[in-house]
Amino acid sequence: MFSPSQWLRRALFWSGAIAVGLAAVGFAKAADQAFALFQHIVRHNSYWPFLLTPLTFALLAWLTQGALKPTRGSGIPQAIAALKLEDDAFRNSLLNLRMAIGKMGLTLAALAGGASIGREGPTVHVGAGLLYSMGRRFGFDDPAASSRFILAGSAAGLAAAFNTPLAGVVFAIEEMSGAFEHRMSGILLTAVIIAGVVSLGILGNYAYFGQFDIGLPLGRAWVAVLATGAICGLAGGLFARLIIPNEGGLRGLIGKLRKRQPVIFAAACGLALVLLSQLTETGLYGTGYDQAKSILEGHTDTVESFGLLKFCANVASYWAGIPGGIFSPALAVGAGIGANLAAFLPQANPSAVVLLGMAAYLAGVTQAPLTAAVISMELTANQQMILPIMAACLLARASSALVCRKPVYRALAETLIESREQAVAAEIREAELKLLPISDAEEAAGKAPNSGPDK
């Protein structure tokens, strides 16, 4: 028999999962509308992006300089960092309701401005924030309880965003926690199921990219597994390496430029995205969903270099420091690279190679092969490709590690944690100085006592 406290906790998980499902569905519809508005503007005048996109990037960079700084980027690193560091103030700064609302609003603004971003990472951030805030509101604010709410909210967010419940569970195990408590399994599964049911009830039983009846017979066609796993994995690792902060090299230079003039730098990134888009017929803006689906279906609307150009567009959008995820744009890059590889693999079904490219590139970026494999299978409602996709994702994970040793989300989360620890150390140091006598405090601060003018 459960205690009242246990029943309350379960009720909060259930109601929170419903809230996450509703938020994910509403966010998805709003994101489609926001990007549709941008597309309408582009159709009206193809030169408008030269003004609109850099201006939007600059505005978002300015808005995220202060209290809304935690809304930058994907949102998954924020959720991982909050899960790893049991610091109430740190968790609240990353996952409070203001951050959740700001994350959605600013991501929608970025899509309306043509940014090459996705909404799935932000949905994970929002899901973690909603459940975490609900738990705190009703007294479940001890570190262990808060961690469970964060983990369940993150998994529910991904499941509802893609309509992929199994991927939500795998994501929580592989990417978020790195471990799986036995007693947490029922709570996590329930949250994912409820969020998925909400999405299912509103949007229906759909596959994100539609259903694809394709396969890859065992034999020579499996050369495609080796090719996509190695090449897409290396490309994914390169992308991850480019967006992880570093003190030296190109990334160090980018970091210094962004820190020195964040608004101007963001505007320059927006202009770079527009210039790159001029090289294509369909553009590089938004999630890349339409282009990826078109490539999967065998259409030739996109240019042959779409994968490379979308790769650069994603880097530019992430370097700008604006809110937005990398899941959907990564799938679009993988589709483009897969289409290029299919031309050299006539023995394999082109759509099958494209699907392998999508899965392998996502696995290369995240270095989470199980999550990438399950997402790719659920997105296309395809079971025939289970073994080839898993093999390509495992190979991509190994290839990616040659370029980027640390998984991107964990590396970005560690950057957030290090920043917090440095801030806490500075606060402690400042407090210690205030407790010292004036002369000692001056000496500790590096000043000579009685440094005023001689009398």
Side-chain angles (χ1 to χ4, degrees):
M1 200 68 177
F2 296 120
S3 67
S5 176
Q6 289 175 314
W7 277 113
L8 175 60
R9 186 176 66 177
R10 279 162 175 76
L12 282 175
F13 272 113
W14 298 335
S15 57
I18 293 173
V20 171
L22 291 172
V25 171
F27 189 28
K29 289 183 174 292
D32 290 340
Q33 293 297 318
F35 187 58
L37 174 63
F38 176 80
Q39 290 177 309
H40 175 74
I41 294 172
V42 173
R43 284 193 296 267
H44 183 265
N45 190 321
S46 60
Y47 292 102
W48 267 112
F50 281 96
L51 175 63
L52 179 59
T53 301
L55 185 61
T56 301
F57 276 45
L59 177 61
L60 291 172
W62 178 74
L63 288 173
T64 56
Q65 288 301 302
L68 290 175
K69 187 175 181 179
T71 64
R72 290 178 178 178
S74 163
I76 294 176
Q78 286 86 336
I80 293 176
L83 191 64
K84 297 299 181 186
L85 187 60
E86 296 181 348
D87 180 326
D88 285 342
F90 180 62
R91 285 179 165 180
N92 192 52
S93 69
L94 296 178
L95 301 178
N96 62 60
L97 285 178
R98 181 178 64 181
M99 287 302 111
I101 295 171
K103 187 75 171 187
M104 288 193 288
L106 296 179
T107 302
L108 294 176
L111 287 169
S116 180
I117 58 170
R119 58 172 171 79
E120 292 75 26
T123 306
V124 171
H125 193 178
V126 170
L130 285 175
L131 268 178
Y132 169 76
S133 298
M134 290 180 67
R136 281 179 59 86
R137 174 66 180 81
F138 288 92
F140 295 96
D141 52 3
D142 64 278
S146 293
S147 296
R148 296 188 184 101
F149 278 95
I150 294 169
L151 184 60
S154 301
L158 184 72
F162 276 127
N163 193 32
T164 52
L166 182 56
V169 176
V170 175
F171 170 76
I173 299 171
E174 183 179 40
E175 190 66 78
M176 290 296 299
S177 65
F180 195 51
E181 295 181 57
H182 176 70
R183 59 182 178 178
M184 184 63 191
S185 60
I187 295 173
L188 178 61
L189 287 171
T190 302
V192 168
I193 290 169
I194 292 174
V197 166
V198 171
S199 176
L200 185 66
I202 298 175
L203 300 178
N205 187 17
Y206 74 100
Y208 191 80
F209 285 111
Q211 294 187 351
F212 288 83
D213 187 20
I214 52 179
L216 196 71
L218 189 63
R220 291 181 60 195
W222 269 59
V223 174
V225 173
L226 299 177
T228 54
I231 296 174
C232 293
L234 288 171
L238 177 61
F239 175 80
R241 187 178 178 86
L242 286 173
I243 67 172
I244 295 174
N246 191 280
E247 295 298 326
L250 176 62
R251 291 175 292 167
L253 175 62
I254 293 299
K256 290 177 182 177
L257 290 173
R258 182 166 55 192
K259 186 175 182 179
R260 189 175 303 162
Q261 294 288 345
V263 176
I264 295 175
F265 180 77
C269 289
L271 180 59
L273 170 58
V274 177
L275 291 173
L276 288 167
S277 290
Q278 302 309 304
L279 302 176
T280 72
E281 292 292 330
T282 57
L284 303 169
Y285 308 108
T287 63
Y289 167 84
D290 291 333
Q291 293 94 329
K293 185 175 182 181
S294 176
I295 294 171
L296 260 177
E297 292 173 344
H299 301 159
T300 56
D301 299 339
T302 58
V303 296
E304 290 184 359
S305 57
F306 173 77
L308 174 61
L309 293 173
K310 186 65 173 175
F311 176 98
C312 295
N314 294 348
V315 172
S317 294
Y318 202 94
W319 276 356
I322 63 176
I326 60 178
F327 261 100
S328 289
L331 292 170
V333 173
I337 298 176
N340 296 144
L341 293 175
F344 298 95
L345 300 166
Q347 67 273 30
N349 184 320
S351 293
V353 179
V354 171
L355 181 55
L356 287 174
M358 294 167 66
Y361 181 77
L362 182 59
V365 171
T366 62
Q367 295 192 16
L370 285 177
T371 300
V374 173
I375 283 180
S376 301
M377 289 184 289
E378 289 192 287
L379 290 182
T380 54
N382 185 295
Q383 296 183 348
Q384 300 178 55
M385 293 284 291
I386 291 178
L387 290 179
I389 286 176
M390 291 181 68
C393 287
L394 286 174
L395 180 57
R397 166 66 176 85
S399 300
S400 174
L402 298 176
V403 181
C404 184
R405 294 185 178 181
K406 190 174 293 184
V408 63
Y409 289 134
R410 294 192 179 276
L412 294 172
E414 287 177 6
T415 300
L416 292 171
I417 292 172
E418 288 172 5
S419 297
R420 172 59 181 174
E421 290 174 343
Q422 290 172 1
V424 170
E427 290 174 2
I428 293 173
R429 180 64 174 164
E430 185 177 349
E432 290 175 344
L433 288 175
K434 289 180 179 179
L435 295 176
L436 291 173
I438 294 178
S439 58
D440 291 344
E442 288 176 341
E443 185 178 352
K447 300 177 181 178
N450 303 320
S451 57
D454 294 334
K455 295 183 180 178

